[in-house]
Amino acid sequence: MLDALLGFMIANPATSHALTALPETAGVAAAMIGLRAPRPEATAALVVSTYYFGREAGQREHDIKHAGWDAVQAHLGAEFLYGWSLPNLQQWLAPTCAAWAIAGAMILLRLRSVRGR
């Protein structure tokens, strides 16, 4: 079973990123709720989205440098999505959408629990 799960995650990186973004977002939000941070769900979604953006931008920058671009051009290209491949974009957008969806669900749950009191 573990082999099948690993095979699925390797074959579908955008989906596996989205699935791992769900508990990451919930965990960061739960920690921030415990610390009484303002807007913990939205901040958690932003943190997770930024993490995945950095992950994909770093990979893209590395690939662009090996394609012959100089370091500054590669960095700017990676930061501003220039030269990104569709898989890189999907592997950033899928977890970003998942993170914001879980943040929205957590906000709705908190609002309903406050109204129920």
Side-chain angles (χ1 to χ4, degrees):
M1 179 160 161
L2 184 58
D3 289 339
L5 177 62
L6 285 174
F8 174 80
M9 291 179 77
I10 291 168
N12 302 292
T15 303
S16 67
H17 287 5
L19 292 174
T20 56
L22 296 173
E24 290 170 352
T25 305
V28 172
M32 294 182 77
I33 289 168
L35 294 171
R36 302 204 185 278
R39 304 199 194 300
E41 297 89 353
T43 304
L46 185 61
V47 166
V48 170
S49 176
T50 302
Y51 164 74
Y52 281 99
F53 176 83
R55 182 185 182 286
E56 294 307 317
Q59 181 61 46
R60 180 56 32 209
E61 181 178 355
H62 177 77
D63 293 344
I64 292 172
K65 281 181 189 175
H66 283 287
W69 292 27
D70 70 53
V72 173
Q73 287 177 329
H75 177 74
L76 292 175
E79 287 294 321
F80 295 105
L81 306 178
Y82 182 76
W84 277 46
S85 65
L86 183 59
N88 283 120
L89 197 57
Q90 291 170 337
Q91 291 175 45
W92 168 53
L93 288 177
T96 295
C97 292
W100 284 103
I102 196 72
M106 291 178 77
I107 290 169
L108 288 175
L109 287 172
R110 285 184 66 197
L111 288 174
R112 286 189 179 171
S113 69
V114 169
R115 287 183 190 157
R117 289 183 185 172

